[in-house]
Amino acid sequence: MNQGKLLTFAEHDGNTTMSNKSHYQQLTRTFQRLSRFSHLSAIASWDMFTMMPPGGSTARGEALAELNVLEHQLLTDPKVAQWIAAAGQEDLNDVEQANLREMARRHHQAALLPESLVEAKSLAGSRCEHAWRSQRPANDWQGFAQNLKEVVKYSREEAKLRAEAKGCSPYDALLDIFEPDMTSAQLDVLFADVKTWLPDLLNRAVSKQSHQPLIAPVGPFPTALQRELGLETMSQLGFDFNAGRLDISAHPFCGGVPEDVRITTRYDENELLSALFGVIHETGHARYEQNLPHAWQGQPIAFARSTAIHESQSLFFEMQLGRSTAFLKRLIPAVKRHFGDQPAFEEANFIAWNQRVKPGFIRVDADEVSYPAHVILRYDIEQALINGDIEVDDIPALWDEKMQAWLGLSTVGDYRNGCMQDIHWTDGGFGYFPSYTLGAMYAAQLFSAARRALPDLHNQIAQGDLSALFDWLRQNIWQHGSRFTTAQLIAQATGEPLSSRYFRAHLESRYLS
């Protein structure tokens, strides 16, 4: 294959017409079809989580399962394997080679699973997720556990097939779906380092802040006004409303497709800023999606690099930028305009309130110091679950044990705020949770690199001018899609491999200085 000139996406528009690339052309057409089916599936899933009446659950689950099977059939057609092998001998430039690499990865992963397992897992996930919506508010662990056991059964079957082919542990086989080339051995090293310093940092931050009495915002805060504030903030963060929208769901998420990004949040009229920072978080996801290489849309190379890189963008927006002192100062006038003035909105108090460290039960509402504890807890449990070391019935006791050890909180009998709070396991998303703390590490390292490249960044944020920062992200992360491996992408953007020291330095600077 030709190693030639390293083309940029702008220089190569994704159209291949040369006759000596006929097998590659067949692949691009096939993956374009797959992308269109995925588009329909993404929007149907968004509707299921936001708009669909309860009575539509069974039919929607069956329809989504049918789409999943159809995509699986297209992806595992024997011709695809033949074309991949033949295209490897064709005269492809470096961008096309990267696209072929991602095509091969997707094909090989799909080819390991029988169609019957794809359908069964999809149906089980739809049933579990739909039931979870009512079981969680009712604190019905027993009902939820029955559905979860079925999801775990199929997830273990999938993990076993993948592990046998890859020569790794069952959990690593699922982790690789979300984080290509990442292993639990690598995670264990990263997380072991975090465990050596995070508990002390957390205790010191809580102790330091205990001497700073804070005034809590006083509600109620009408949902309609919270939504207006969220939309205004999304605009400031560059969200393209011509290619996306904001809605409500039981669990905040970013879905849809780059041309039509759907983000959601949830509102509590007694709590002002949880929904807003949920919106800021999801806007980070959305900006990444909206800025993936348009010329290659429909091809695997135009997809997000990995879930941790995706989470790095949301945490870059929410934590590195959104909870920075400069950004919070800019936010105060808008908060006062929507909700009036009150002592809690005095500048020093408002900033301290939004940078407070207070261990709690709910992961999505956690401050960034205690957040890794929530993630590592889930990582430990799901790894043991998929590897067969524990069963679903063991989860509540393990959850409580780890919450006590990390955060000093008990979840005995409180399943709603404990092991039932997340949506990820309902559809078999085992291997996703490590992405959050990996994402926080990537975000801290990226923000540090951006500060070096943009010496006036603090003042630009204080003035509300985020254009240079977003240009930096576009140039270094967004425009590349999956062209490079995660390790290559981070090394090129920051000048070095992933290191947890930037995350630690960020937390110490913000919360202990």
Side-chain angles (χ1 to χ4, degrees):
M1 290 182 287
N2 176 28
Q3 297 298 316
K5 178 189 175 187
L6 186 67
L7 298 176
T8 66
F9 281 118
E11 292 171 320
H12 196 296
D13 66 3
N15 296 316
T16 303
T17 58
M18 295 172 59
S19 60
N20 66 345
K21 300 182 182 182
S22 59
H23 297 99
Y24 179 77
Q25 290 174 349
Q26 293 278 19
L27 288 168
T28 60
R29 286 192 287 268
T30 297
F31 278 86
Q32 185 68 61
R33 288 191 69 202
L34 280 165
S35 174
R36 288 165 180 158
F37 286 128
S38 295
H39 183 153
L40 295 176
S41 179
I43 299 303
S45 295
W46 164 84
D47 178 76
M48 181 171 68
F49 295 137
T50 57
M51 302 292 184
M52 186 189 73
S57 175
T58 299
R60 182 61 55 83
E62 292 171 349
L64 286 169
E66 192 74 30
L67 270 173
N68 287 337
V69 168
L70 181 56
E71 291 180 52
H72 185 264
Q73 289 172 343
L74 279 172
L75 195 51
T76 58
D77 188 314
K79 291 181 181 177
V80 173
Q82 296 168 11
W83 293 336
I84 288 172
Q89 305 305 313
E90 294 178 339
D91 184 26
L92 306 183
N93 62 50
D94 66 286
V95 178
E96 292 163 337
Q97 290 176 38
N99 196 34
L100 179 61
R101 179 199 68 214
E102 295 302 309
M103 289 173 170
R105 172 179 165 78
R106 289 192 61 195
H107 167 73
H108 294 326
Q109 285 196 331
L112 295 173
L113 305 183
E115 185 179 302
S116 58
L117 178 56
V118 173
E119 182 177 29
K121 185 184 176 189
S122 180
L123 288 170
S126 292
R127 286 192 294 268
C128 189
E129 186 279 327
H130 182 72
W132 168 82
R133 299 187 206 182
S134 57
Q135 289 166 341
R136 185 194 172 202
N139 204 40
D140 179 13
W141 165 254
Q142 292 304 319
F144 177 69
Q146 291 308 306
N147 291 320
L148 184 61
K149 286 175 182 177
E150 187 179 17
V151 173
V152 169
K153 180 182 75 170
Y154 292 126
S155 295
R156 283 175 170 172
E157 288 183 25
E158 176 184 357
K160 182 174 183 290
L161 291 171
R162 295 189 183 284
E164 289 172 349
K166 192 174 174 61
C168 64
S169 72
Y171 182 74
D172 277 10
L174 297 186
L175 176 63
D176 186 67
I177 297 172
F178 300 102
E179 284 305 305
D181 304 320
M182 180 59 68
T183 66
S184 55
Q186 293 171 282
L187 286 175
D188 289 344
V189 171
L190 287 167
F191 291 170
D193 173 63
V194 172
K195 290 176 181 178
T196 65
W197 53 262
L198 185 66
D200 178 64
L201 196 159
L202 178 60
N203 289 334
R204 289 167 63 195
V206 170
S207 175
K208 179 175 181 287
Q209 293 186 359
S210 68
H211 303 296
Q212 304 169 338
L214 296 177
I215 303 171
V218 178
F221 305 101
T223 294
L225 294 180
Q226 289 195 53
R227 175 177 167 79
E228 287 181 17
L229 178 61
L231 292 170
E232 181 179 315
T233 306
M234 289 168 67
S235 293
Q236 293 172 351
L237 294 172
F239 183 88
D240 180 4
F241 286 96
N242 191 49
R245 55 180 288 143
L246 171 67
D247 292 281
I248 299 173
S249 67
H251 193 97
F253 70 90
C254 175
V257 294
E259 308 93 319
D260 183 6
V261 180
R262 308 296 178 93
I263 72 172
T264 70
T265 193
R266 58 189 179 198
Y267 299 100
D268 178 349
E269 294 201 340
N270 295 312
E271 212 292 318
L272 172 58
L273 295 167
S274 176
L276 176 63
F277 280 93
V279 166
I280 293 173
H281 179 100
E282 302 305 337
T283 300
H285 282 304
R287 290 298 316 276
Y288 184 25
E289 286 288 321
Q290 290 179 336
N291 285 276
L292 288 169
H294 291 282
W296 283 80
Q297 279 182 357
Q299 298 302 309
I301 198 174
F303 294 172
R305 172 61 258 169
S306 73
T307 52
I309 294 299
H310 230 309
E311 292 302 335
S312 78
Q313 299 309 288
S314 60
L315 293 169
F316 191 105
F317 272 59
E318 179 191 5
M319 298 301 186
Q320 298 294 324
L321 173 62
R323 292 193 189 272
S324 69
T325 297
F327 188 86
L328 289 171
K329 285 181 179 179
R330 293 285 305 181
L331 194 58
I332 293 172
V335 170
K336 290 181 177 179
R337 188 167 66 252
H338 286 88
F339 301 103
D341 201 356
Q342 56 174 278
F345 299 157
E346 182 272 324
E347 184 177 282
N349 186 84
F350 184 81
I351 293 169
W353 182 260
N354 284 286
Q355 293 180 349
R356 71 196 187 285
V357 178
K358 184 178 181 181
F361 293 101
I362 304 301
R363 175 186 60 84
V364 296
D365 293 335
D367 61 84
E368 61 179 332
V369 181
S370 58
Y371 197 103
H374 290 271
V375 171
I376 296 173
L377 176 157
R378 288 155 172 79
Y379 164 68
D380 289 343
I381 291 176
E382 71 176 15
Q383 183 180 15
L385 185 65
I386 293 301
N387 286 340
D389 299 325
I390 64 170
E391 299 299 332
V392 169
D393 291 335
D394 299 319
I395 293 175
L398 275 172
W399 193 286
D400 177 66
E401 175 188 320
K402 293 177 181 295
M403 281 292 285
Q404 294 262 25
W406 273 104
L407 301 175
L409 300 171
S410 175
T411 57
V412 172
D414 186 6
Y415 310 110
R416 181 173 64 88
N417 293 312
C419 55
M420 287 180 67
Q421 66 181 270
D422 296 297
I423 199 172
H424 304 65
W425 289 345
T426 65
D427 66 354
F430 300 101
Y432 191 108
F433 277 120
S435 302
Y436 289 111
T437 291
L438 283 173
M441 292 178 183
Y442 285 132
Q445 190 163 327
L446 288 168
F447 202 81
S448 177
R451 282 202 308 268
R452 293 194 300 272
L454 305 169
D456 197 40
L457 180 58
H458 177 83
N459 290 332
Q460 291 172 354
I461 295 171
Q463 294 164 10
D465 181 5
L466 304 177
S467 57
L469 180 61
F470 294 155
D471 284 344
W472 188 90
L473 284 172
R474 187 178 296 105
Q475 178 181 348
N476 288 281
I477 301 295
W478 297 345
Q479 70 163 339
H480 297 303
S482 286
R483 181 180 183 182
F484 304 111
T485 67
T486 305
Q488 290 171 334
L489 185 68
I490 290 301
Q492 289 171 184
T494 69
E496 61 183 295
L498 172 64
S499 172
S500 61
R501 67 187 177 92
Y502 290 99
F503 183 48
R504 180 179 182 176
H506 160 68
L507 295 180
E508 289 177 342
S509 174
R510 178 171 289 176
Y511 298 101
L512 297 183
S513 295

